[in-house]
mmCIF file of all heavy atoms in Angstrom:
data_model
loop_
_atom_site.group_PDB
_atom_site.id
_atom_site.type_symbol
_atom_site.label_atom_id
_atom_site.label_comp_id
_atom_site.label_asym_id
_atom_site.label_seq_id
_atom_site.Cartn_x
_atom_site.Cartn_y
_atom_site.Cartn_z
ATOM 1 N N LEU Y 1 0.829 -1.204 0.000
ATOM 2 C CA LEU Y 1 0.000 0.000 0.000
ATOM 3 C C LEU Y 1 0.867 1.259 0.000
ATOM 4 O O LEU Y 1 0.541 2.249 -0.666
ATOM 5 C CB LEU Y 1 -0.922 0.001 1.219
ATOM 6 C CG LEU Y 1 -1.972 -1.116 1.267
ATOM 7 C CD1 LEU Y 1 -2.757 -1.040 2.572
ATOM 8 C CD2 LEU Y 1 -2.909 -1.048 0.075
ATOM 9 N N ALA Y 2 1.977 1.215 0.735
ATOM 10 C CA ALA Y 2 2.883 2.367 0.762
ATOM 11 C C ALA Y 2 3.478 2.622 -0.610
ATOM 12 O O ALA Y 2 3.629 3.771 -1.044
ATOM 13 C CB ALA Y 2 3.984 2.128 1.791
ATOM 14 N N GLU Y 3 3.802 1.540 -1.326
ATOM 15 C CA GLU Y 3 4.360 1.690 -2.671
ATOM 16 C C GLU Y 3 3.342 2.334 -3.614
ATOM 17 O O GLU Y 3 3.690 3.182 -4.439
ATOM 18 C CB GLU Y 3 4.789 0.320 -3.210
ATOM 19 C CG GLU Y 3 5.480 0.390 -4.570
ATOM 20 C CD GLU Y 3 5.976 -0.961 -5.027
ATOM 21 O OE1 GLU Y 3 5.890 -1.934 -4.251
ATOM 22 O OE2 GLU Y 3 6.454 -1.049 -6.179
ATOM 23 N N VAL Y 4 2.086 1.940 -3.491
ATOM 24 C CA VAL Y 4 1.027 2.529 -4.316
ATOM 25 C C VAL Y 4 0.921 4.033 -4.060
ATOM 26 O O VAL Y 4 0.731 4.830 -4.986
ATOM 27 C CB VAL Y 4 -0.325 1.843 -4.030
ATOM 28 C CG1 VAL Y 4 -1.474 2.596 -4.684
ATOM 29 C CG2 VAL Y 4 -0.306 0.396 -4.535
ATOM 30 N N ALA Y 5 1.053 4.421 -2.788
ATOM 31 C CA ALA Y 5 0.934 5.839 -2.422
ATOM 32 C C ALA Y 5 2.203 6.624 -2.689
ATOM 33 O O ALA Y 5 2.194 7.854 -2.689
ATOM 34 C CB ALA Y 5 0.563 5.956 -0.950
ATOM 35 N N GLY Y 6 3.321 5.904 -2.915
ATOM 36 C CA GLY Y 6 4.596 6.583 -3.108
ATOM 37 C C GLY Y 6 5.149 7.138 -1.812
ATOM 38 O O GLY Y 6 5.839 8.171 -1.795
ATOM 39 N N LEU Y 7 4.866 6.434 -0.696
ATOM 40 C CA LEU Y 7 5.306 6.879 0.621
ATOM 41 C C LEU Y 7 6.005 5.738 1.347
ATOM 42 O O LEU Y 7 5.952 4.588 0.920
ATOM 43 C CB LEU Y 7 4.094 7.330 1.459
ATOM 44 C CG LEU Y 7 3.273 8.513 0.955
ATOM 45 C CD1 LEU Y 7 2.006 8.637 1.784
ATOM 46 C CD2 LEU Y 7 4.085 9.801 1.030
ATOM 47 N N SER Y 8 6.640 6.066 2.461
ATOM 48 C CA SER Y 8 7.166 5.028 3.338
ATOM 49 C C SER Y 8 5.993 4.422 4.114
ATOM 50 O O SER Y 8 4.918 5.017 4.218
ATOM 51 C CB SER Y 8 8.177 5.624 4.314
ATOM 52 O OG SER Y 8 7.532 6.556 5.169
ATOM 53 N N ALA Y 9 6.224 3.240 4.682
ATOM 54 C CA ALA Y 9 5.152 2.555 5.404
ATOM 55 C C ALA Y 9 4.679 3.360 6.610
ATOM 56 O O ALA Y 9 3.474 3.493 6.850
ATOM 57 C CB ALA Y 9 5.631 1.174 5.849
ATOM 58 N N SER Y 10 5.611 3.921 7.380
ATOM 59 C CA SER Y 10 5.192 4.665 8.572
ATOM 60 C C SER Y 10 4.483 5.961 8.206
ATOM 61 O O SER Y 10 3.531 6.368 8.877
ATOM 62 C CB SER Y 10 6.394 4.951 9.473
ATOM 63 O OG SER Y 10 7.324 5.792 8.833
ATOM 64 N N HIS Y 11 4.914 6.621 7.118
ATOM 65 C CA HIS Y 11 4.228 7.835 6.675
ATOM 66 C C HIS Y 11 2.825 7.510 6.179
ATOM 67 O O HIS Y 11 1.877 8.269 6.426
ATOM 68 C CB HIS Y 11 5.024 8.527 5.571
ATOM 69 C CG HIS Y 11 6.189 9.306 6.089
ATOM 70 N ND1 HIS Y 11 7.074 9.973 5.278
ATOM 71 C CD2 HIS Y 11 6.622 9.533 7.345
ATOM 72 C CE1 HIS Y 11 7.989 10.572 6.019
ATOM 73 N NE2 HIS Y 11 7.743 10.307 7.273
ATOM 74 N N LEU Y 12 2.684 6.384 5.486
ATOM 75 C CA LEU Y 12 1.355 5.996 5.018
ATOM 76 C C LEU Y 12 0.414 5.786 6.207
ATOM 77 O O LEU Y 12 -0.727 6.261 6.194
ATOM 78 C CB LEU Y 12 1.417 4.725 4.182
ATOM 79 C CG LEU Y 12 0.043 4.153 3.794
ATOM 80 C CD1 LEU Y 12 -0.688 5.096 2.854
ATOM 81 C CD2 LEU Y 12 0.175 2.774 3.175
ATOM 82 N N LYS Y 13 0.885 5.087 7.235
ATOM 83 C CA LYS Y 13 0.045 4.843 8.404
ATOM 84 C C LYS Y 13 -0.464 6.153 9.003
ATOM 85 O O LYS Y 13 -1.648 6.306 9.280
ATOM 86 C CB LYS Y 13 0.838 4.070 9.467
ATOM 87 C CG LYS Y 13 1.033 2.602 9.183
ATOM 88 C CD LYS Y 13 1.782 1.937 10.308
ATOM 89 C CE LYS Y 13 1.028 2.009 11.613
ATOM 90 N NZ LYS Y 13 1.739 1.351 12.732
ATOM 91 N N THR Y 14 0.458 7.088 9.184
ATOM 92 C CA THR Y 14 0.093 8.370 9.801
ATOM 93 C C THR Y 14 -0.850 9.170 8.917
ATOM 94 O O THR Y 14 -1.881 9.690 9.364
ATOM 95 C CB THR Y 14 1.353 9.196 10.091
ATOM 96 O OG1 THR Y 14 2.211 8.456 10.964
ATOM 97 C CG2 THR Y 14 1.014 10.525 10.735
ATOM 98 N N GLN Y 15 -0.509 9.276 7.633
ATOM 99 C CA GLN Y 15 -1.264 10.130 6.729
ATOM 100 C C GLN Y 15 -2.605 9.522 6.354
ATOM 101 O O GLN Y 15 -3.588 10.246 6.142
ATOM 102 C CB GLN Y 15 -0.420 10.443 5.499
ATOM 103 C CG GLN Y 15 0.827 11.241 5.845
ATOM 104 C CD GLN Y 15 1.696 11.550 4.633
ATOM 105 O OE1 GLN Y 15 1.208 11.558 3.500
ATOM 106 N NE2 GLN Y 15 2.965 11.808 4.868
ATOM 107 N N PHE Y 16 -2.671 8.188 6.278
ATOM 108 C CA PHE Y 16 -3.949 7.533 5.977
ATOM 109 C C PHE Y 16 -4.937 7.794 7.107
ATOM 110 O O PHE Y 16 -6.102 8.137 6.859
ATOM 111 C CB PHE Y 16 -3.735 6.032 5.785
ATOM 112 C CG PHE Y 16 -4.962 5.301 5.307
ATOM 113 C CD1 PHE Y 16 -5.199 5.132 3.948
ATOM 114 C CD2 PHE Y 16 -5.886 4.790 6.199
ATOM 115 C CE1 PHE Y 16 -6.338 4.473 3.493
ATOM 116 C CE2 PHE Y 16 -7.022 4.124 5.771
ATOM 117 C CZ PHE Y 16 -7.243 3.967 4.408
ATOM 118 N N LYS Y 17 -4.491 7.658 8.342
ATOM 119 C CA LYS Y 17 -5.394 7.898 9.470
ATOM 120 C C LYS Y 17 -5.800 9.363 9.529
ATOM 121 O O LYS Y 17 -6.943 9.695 9.867
ATOM 122 C CB LYS Y 17 -4.727 7.477 10.777
ATOM 123 C CG LYS Y 17 -5.689 7.537 11.961
ATOM 124 C CD LYS Y 17 -5.126 6.853 13.185
ATOM 125 C CE LYS Y 17 -6.159 6.820 14.308
ATOM 126 N NZ LYS Y 17 -5.649 6.101 15.503
ATOM 127 N N ARG Y 18 -4.879 10.250 9.194
ATOM 128 C CA ARG Y 18 -5.198 11.678 9.195
ATOM 129 C C ARG Y 18 -6.280 11.989 8.158
ATOM 130 O O ARG Y 18 -7.144 12.838 8.372
ATOM 131 C CB ARG Y 18 -3.926 12.471 8.887
ATOM 132 C CG ARG Y 18 -4.044 13.977 9.079
ATOM 133 C CD ARG Y 18 -2.713 14.631 8.734
ATOM 134 N NE ARG Y 18 -2.758 16.060 8.918
ATOM 135 C CZ ARG Y 18 -2.442 16.699 10.032
ATOM 136 N NH1 ARG Y 18 -2.045 16.018 11.094
ATOM 137 N NH2 ARG Y 18 -2.505 18.011 10.109
ATOM 138 N N SER Y 19 -6.240 11.271 7.024
ATOM 139 C CA SER Y 19 -7.196 11.526 5.939
ATOM 140 C C SER Y 19 -8.544 10.853 6.153
ATOM 141 O O SER Y 19 -9.574 11.382 5.752
ATOM 142 C CB SER Y 19 -6.605 11.052 4.602
ATOM 143 O OG SER Y 19 -5.461 11.803 4.259
ATOM 144 N N THR Y 20 -8.543 9.655 6.752
ATOM 145 C CA THR Y 20 -9.773 8.861 6.844
ATOM 146 C C THR Y 20 -10.334 8.759 8.263
ATOM 147 O O THR Y 20 -11.493 8.374 8.434
ATOM 148 C CB THR Y 20 -9.540 7.432 6.324
ATOM 149 O OG1 THR Y 20 -8.618 6.758 7.206
ATOM 150 C CG2 THR Y 20 -8.972 7.445 4.914
ATOM 151 N N GLY Y 21 -9.508 9.052 9.263
ATOM 152 C CA GLY Y 21 -9.946 8.868 10.641
ATOM 153 C C GLY Y 21 -9.831 7.435 11.111
ATOM 154 O O GLY Y 21 -10.206 7.109 12.240
ATOM 155 N N GLN Y 22 -9.295 6.538 10.264
ATOM 156 C CA GLN Y 22 -9.136 5.136 10.611
ATOM 157 C C GLN Y 22 -7.707 4.686 10.332
ATOM 158 O O GLN Y 22 -7.080 5.146 9.368
ATOM 159 C CB GLN Y 22 -10.075 4.247 9.798
ATOM 160 C CG GLN Y 22 -11.535 4.319 10.187
ATOM 161 C CD GLN Y 22 -12.348 3.327 9.375
ATOM 162 O OE1 GLN Y 22 -12.415 3.417 8.156
ATOM 163 N NE2 GLN Y 22 -12.976 2.378 10.042
ATOM 164 N N ALA Y 23 -7.222 3.764 11.155
ATOM 165 C CA ALA Y 23 -5.954 3.111 10.842
ATOM 166 C C ALA Y 23 -6.142 2.246 9.590
ATOM 167 O O ALA Y 23 -7.258 1.821 9.281
ATOM 168 C CB ALA Y 23 -5.505 2.246 12.016
ATOM 169 N N VAL Y 24 -5.052 1.992 8.873
ATOM 170 C CA VAL Y 24 -5.139 1.221 7.624
ATOM 171 C C VAL Y 24 -5.797 -0.135 7.872
ATOM 172 O O VAL Y 24 -6.716 -0.536 7.145
ATOM 173 C CB VAL Y 24 -3.744 1.028 7.001
ATOM 174 C CG1 VAL Y 24 -3.847 0.216 5.712
ATOM 175 C CG2 VAL Y 24 -3.072 2.365 6.726
ATOM 176 N N HIS Y 25 -5.344 -0.842 8.899
ATOM 177 C CA HIS Y 25 -5.887 -2.179 9.148
ATOM 178 C C HIS Y 25 -7.365 -2.120 9.475
ATOM 179 O O HIS Y 25 -8.158 -2.945 9.007
ATOM 180 C CB HIS Y 25 -5.116 -2.858 10.286
ATOM 181 C CG HIS Y 25 -5.638 -4.209 10.626
ATOM 182 N ND1 HIS Y 25 -6.392 -4.459 11.752
ATOM 183 C CD2 HIS Y 25 -5.557 -5.403 9.962
ATOM 184 C CE1 HIS Y 25 -6.731 -5.731 11.772
ATOM 185 N NE2 HIS Y 25 -6.242 -6.319 10.712
ATOM 186 N N ALA Y 26 -7.779 -1.134 10.294
ATOM 187 C CA ALA Y 26 -9.194 -0.999 10.644
ATOM 188 C C ALA Y 26 -10.031 -0.696 9.406
ATOM 189 O O ALA Y 26 -11.145 -1.221 9.240
ATOM 190 C CB ALA Y 26 -9.377 0.106 11.685
ATOM 191 N N TYR Y 27 -9.510 0.148 8.515
ATOM 192 C CA TYR Y 27 -10.234 0.465 7.274
ATOM 193 C C TYR Y 27 -10.439 -0.790 6.435
ATOM 194 O O TYR Y 27 -11.535 -1.037 5.923
ATOM 195 C CB TYR Y 27 -9.449 1.510 6.474
ATOM 196 C CG TYR Y 27 -10.071 1.853 5.134
ATOM 197 C CD1 TYR Y 27 -11.050 2.837 5.030
ATOM 198 C CD2 TYR Y 27 -9.681 1.174 3.982
ATOM 199 C CE1 TYR Y 27 -11.626 3.142 3.799
ATOM 200 C CE2 TYR Y 27 -10.255 1.464 2.747
ATOM 201 C CZ TYR Y 27 -11.218 2.450 2.661
ATOM 202 O OH TYR Y 27 -11.796 2.745 1.450
ATOM 203 N N VAL Y 28 -9.384 -1.590 6.311
ATOM 204 C CA VAL Y 28 -9.474 -2.817 5.507
ATOM 205 C C VAL Y 28 -10.489 -3.778 6.124
ATOM 206 O O VAL Y 28 -11.291 -4.391 5.404
ATOM 207 C CB VAL Y 28 -8.086 -3.479 5.377
ATOM 208 C CG1 VAL Y 28 -8.202 -4.872 4.763
ATOM 209 C CG2 VAL Y 28 -7.157 -2.615 4.531
ATOM 210 N N VAL Y 29 -10.471 -3.919 7.442
ATOM 211 C CA VAL Y 29 -11.439 -4.807 8.102
ATOM 212 C C VAL Y 29 -12.865 -4.350 7.814
ATOM 213 O O VAL Y 29 -13.747 -5.152 7.488
ATOM 214 C CB VAL Y 29 -11.179 -4.863 9.619
ATOM 215 C CG1 VAL Y 29 -12.346 -5.558 10.340
ATOM 216 C CG2 VAL Y 29 -9.882 -5.607 9.913
ATOM 217 N N HIS Y 30 -13.111 -3.049 7.900
ATOM 218 C CA HIS Y 30 -14.455 -2.530 7.621
ATOM 219 C C HIS Y 30 -14.862 -2.782 6.172
ATOM 220 O O HIS Y 30 -16.020 -3.131 5.894
ATOM 221 C CB HIS Y 30 -14.518 -1.032 7.933
ATOM 222 C CG HIS Y 30 -14.744 -0.717 9.372
ATOM 223 N ND1 HIS Y 30 -13.765 -0.876 10.333
ATOM 224 C CD2 HIS Y 30 -15.846 -0.276 10.037
ATOM 225 C CE1 HIS Y 30 -14.254 -0.526 11.512
ATOM 226 N NE2 HIS Y 30 -15.511 -0.167 11.360
ATOM 227 N N ARG Y 31 -13.947 -2.613 5.237
ATOM 228 C CA ARG Y 31 -14.268 -2.856 3.842
ATOM 229 C C ARG Y 31 -14.549 -4.348 3.610
ATOM 230 O O ARG Y 31 -15.429 -4.716 2.831
ATOM 231 C CB ARG Y 31 -13.119 -2.395 2.924
ATOM 232 C CG ARG Y 31 -12.890 -0.900 2.914
ATOM 233 C CD ARG Y 31 -14.155 -0.127 2.519
ATOM 234 N NE ARG Y 31 -14.686 -0.615 1.253
ATOM 235 C CZ ARG Y 31 -15.974 -0.858 1.036
ATOM 236 N NH1 ARG Y 31 -16.871 -0.670 2.011
ATOM 237 N NH2 ARG Y 31 -16.367 -1.285 -0.148
ATOM 238 N N ARG Y 32 -13.809 -5.221 4.280
ATOM 239 C CA ARG Y 32 -14.049 -6.658 4.141
ATOM 240 C C ARG Y 32 -15.402 -7.037 4.736
ATOM 241 O O ARG Y 32 -16.122 -7.878 4.187
ATOM 242 C CB ARG Y 32 -12.910 -7.441 4.801
ATOM 243 C CG ARG Y 32 -11.636 -7.436 3.956
ATOM 244 C CD ARG Y 32 -10.457 -8.091 4.639
ATOM 245 N NE ARG Y 32 -9.368 -8.272 3.667
ATOM 246 C CZ ARG Y 32 -8.107 -8.488 3.987
ATOM 247 N NH1 ARG Y 32 -7.743 -8.550 5.260
ATOM 248 N NH2 ARG Y 32 -7.193 -8.634 3.038
ATOM 249 N N VAL Y 33 -15.754 -6.427 5.852
ATOM 250 C CA VAL Y 33 -17.065 -6.682 6.443
ATOM 251 C C VAL Y 33 -18.171 -6.207 5.501
ATOM 252 O O VAL Y 33 -19.181 -6.900 5.301
ATOM 253 C CB VAL Y 33 -17.185 -5.987 7.821
ATOM 254 C CG1 VAL Y 33 -18.638 -5.969 8.292
ATOM 255 C CG2 VAL Y 33 -16.312 -6.698 8.849
ATOM 256 N N ASP Y 34 -17.989 -5.052 4.886
ATOM 257 C CA ASP Y 34 -18.981 -4.543 3.934
ATOM 258 C C ASP Y 34 -19.153 -5.494 2.755
ATOM 259 O O ASP Y 34 -20.270 -5.745 2.302
ATOM 260 C CB ASP Y 34 -18.570 -3.159 3.427
ATOM 261 C CG ASP Y 34 -18.789 -2.064 4.461
ATOM 262 O OD1 ASP Y 34 -19.501 -2.314 5.447
ATOM 263 O OD2 ASP Y 34 -18.235 -0.968 4.289
ATOM 264 N N ARG Y 35 -18.029 -5.992 2.238
ATOM 265 C CA ARG Y 35 -18.133 -6.929 1.109
ATOM 266 C C ARG Y 35 -18.819 -8.219 1.539
ATOM 267 O O ARG Y 35 -19.673 -8.753 0.815
ATOM 268 C CB ARG Y 35 -16.746 -7.247 0.537
ATOM 269 C CG ARG Y 35 -16.807 -8.272 -0.594
ATOM 270 C CD ARG Y 35 -15.471 -8.526 -1.256
ATOM 271 N NE ARG Y 35 -15.037 -7.367 -2.039
ATOM 272 C CZ ARG Y 35 -13.948 -7.369 -2.799
ATOM 273 N NH1 ARG Y 35 -13.189 -8.453 -2.875
ATOM 274 N NH2 ARG Y 35 -13.602 -6.301 -3.486
ATOM 275 N N ALA Y 36 -18.460 -8.737 2.709
ATOM 276 C CA ALA Y 36 -19.082 -9.972 3.193
ATOM 277 C C ALA Y 36 -20.582 -9.773 3.379
ATOM 278 O O ALA Y 36 -21.391 -10.642 3.019
ATOM 279 C CB ALA Y 36 -18.425 -10.401 4.505
ATOM 280 N N ARG Y 37 -20.971 -8.645 3.932
ATOM 281 C CA ARG Y 37 -22.399 -8.353 4.135
ATOM 282 C C ARG Y 37 -23.136 -8.338 2.801
ATOM 283 O O ARG Y 37 -24.234 -8.912 2.673
ATOM 284 C CB ARG Y 37 -22.556 -7.009 4.836
ATOM 285 C CG ARG Y 37 -23.997 -6.587 5.092
ATOM 286 C CD ARG Y 37 -24.036 -5.278 5.865
ATOM 287 N NE ARG Y 37 -25.407 -4.849 6.112
ATOM 288 C CZ ARG Y 37 -26.124 -4.138 5.246
ATOM 289 N NH1 ARG Y 37 -25.595 -3.769 4.079
ATOM 290 N NH2 ARG Y 37 -27.364 -3.799 5.529
ATOM 291 N N SER Y 38 -22.542 -7.713 1.793
ATOM 292 C CA SER Y 38 -23.176 -7.652 0.476
ATOM 293 C C SER Y 38 -23.334 -9.042 -0.126
ATOM 294 O O SER Y 38 -24.384 -9.369 -0.693
ATOM 295 C CB SER Y 38 -22.339 -6.762 -0.454
ATOM 296 O OG SER Y 38 -22.896 -6.722 -1.748
ATOM 297 N N LEU Y 39 -22.307 -9.881 0.005
ATOM 298 C CA LEU Y 39 -22.376 -11.233 -0.556
ATOM 299 C C LEU Y 39 -23.404 -12.084 0.194
ATOM 300 O O LEU Y 39 -24.128 -12.887 -0.413
ATOM 301 C CB LEU Y 39 -20.998 -11.896 -0.488
ATOM 302 C CG LEU Y 39 -19.940 -11.339 -1.446
ATOM 303 C CD1 LEU Y 39 -18.574 -11.953 -1.157
ATOM 304 C CD2 LEU Y 39 -20.339 -11.606 -2.901
ATOM 305 N N LEU Y 40 -23.477 -11.924 1.504
ATOM 306 C CA LEU Y 40 -24.457 -12.686 2.281
ATOM 307 C C LEU Y 40 -25.884 -12.289 1.920
ATOM 308 O O LEU Y 40 -26.789 -13.122 1.871
ATOM 309 C CB LEU Y 40 -24.219 -12.461 3.779
ATOM 310 C CG LEU Y 40 -22.981 -13.131 4.369
ATOM 311 C CD1 LEU Y 40 -22.706 -12.601 5.774
ATOM 312 C CD2 LEU Y 40 -23.127 -14.652 4.404
#
């Protein structure tokens, strides 16, 4: 994910949370839950 953003891993963590209000891992979990809910 850091490579996609063109950032270091630690900078991505900080800046992603600043932009979304969620940590990267928490965001991914929520998106996976949303997809699972849709499929169910």
Side-chain angles (χ1 to χ4, degrees):
L1 295 177
E3 184 176 354
V4 170
L7 298 170
S8 64
S10 64
H11 282 178
L12 173 66
K13 284 182 62 179
T14 301
Q15 296 179 23
F16 187 91
K17 187 168 185 178
R18 190 180 181 91
S19 295
T20 66
Q22 287 184 298
V24 180
H25 178 255
Y27 177 87
V28 170
V29 169
H30 277 73
R31 294 303 306 135
R32 284 175 169 162
V33 167
D34 285 345
R35 177 175 290 185
R37 179 177 180 274
S38 178
L39 289 173
L40 288 168

